[in-house]
Amino acid sequence: NAQIRSDATIRANIPYSFVVNNTTLPEGTYVITVSDPYGSDTSVLEIRSANGKTAVLFDTDPITGPRLAPQTELVFDKIGDTYFLSRVFLKGNEGGNQLLKSKTQRRLEENGAMAESHSIPASPLLAKSSKRAMR
């Protein structure tokens, strides 16, 4: 499975503001799910603040790794003082989801800025509890 499962829900406490799909989100607790858990397309994900006030849909591409993901985690590219959500991994999967780069991130990299990679551990939630939490 190269992308996160359609019934997967990932919860993470992100300690800094970050950019997803050209939208800057404040630090806080977020939940990531597949946008359409009943469809076959697991490339569009949604990140939603735990309080439900903010949500952003974003496109991803599947990425594969040399081994199963040892933990559920979110990976950010830091350029200057800005963090960009870059990849999402679910523990036990052979791969994950890589976000398409935002316009800002592409522009910074084209101008020679180098990205530092930062990982945040996340918690996979059981499918039953995630469906209840999202209602």
Side-chain angles (χ1 to χ4, degrees):
N1 188 9
Q3 293 181 310
I4 68 171
R5 297 185 317 266
S6 63
D7 64 346
T9 298
I10 297 171
R11 183 181 183 96
N13 184 25
I14 303 171
Y16 36 74
S17 63
F18 61 101
V19 176
V20 175
N21 200 20
N22 298 311
T23 300
T24 301
L25 299 173
E27 67 181 73
T29 301
Y30 289 86
V31 175
I32 296 176
T33 57
V34 172
S35 172
D36 181 7
Y38 303 106
S40 60
D41 183 4
T42 58
S43 67
V44 179
L45 304 182
E46 177 183 62
I47 186 165
R48 179 179 298 274
S49 59
N51 64 15
K53 291 183 178 180
T54 306
V56 176
L57 294 175
F58 56 96
D59 288 315
T60 65
D61 288 325
I63 54 173
T64 56
R67 57 181 167 65
L68 296 179
Q71 69 177 10
T72 299
E73 67 181 341
L74 305 181
V75 179
F76 294 84
D77 289 338
K78 181 182 179 195
I79 301 175
D81 292 331
T82 305
Y83 290 85
F84 298 89
L85 182 58
S86 173
R87 295 177 298 283
V88 178
F89 293 99
L90 185 64
K91 181 179 180 175
N93 279 13
E94 293 175 4
N97 294 64
Q98 180 166 315
L99 281 73
L100 306 179
K101 292 182 179 182
S102 69
K103 292 176 187 175
T104 302
Q105 185 174 3
R106 285 194 311 267
R107 188 181 75 246
L108 289 169
E109 289 177 347
E110 287 168 1
N111 289 330
M114 298 297 292
E116 297 174 20
S117 185
H118 292 265
S119 295
I120 293 180
S123 303
L125 301 177
L126 299 175
K128 287 181 182 177
S129 65
S130 68
K131 288 179 182 162
R132 238 188 335 263
M134 298 305 287
R135 286 191 181 153

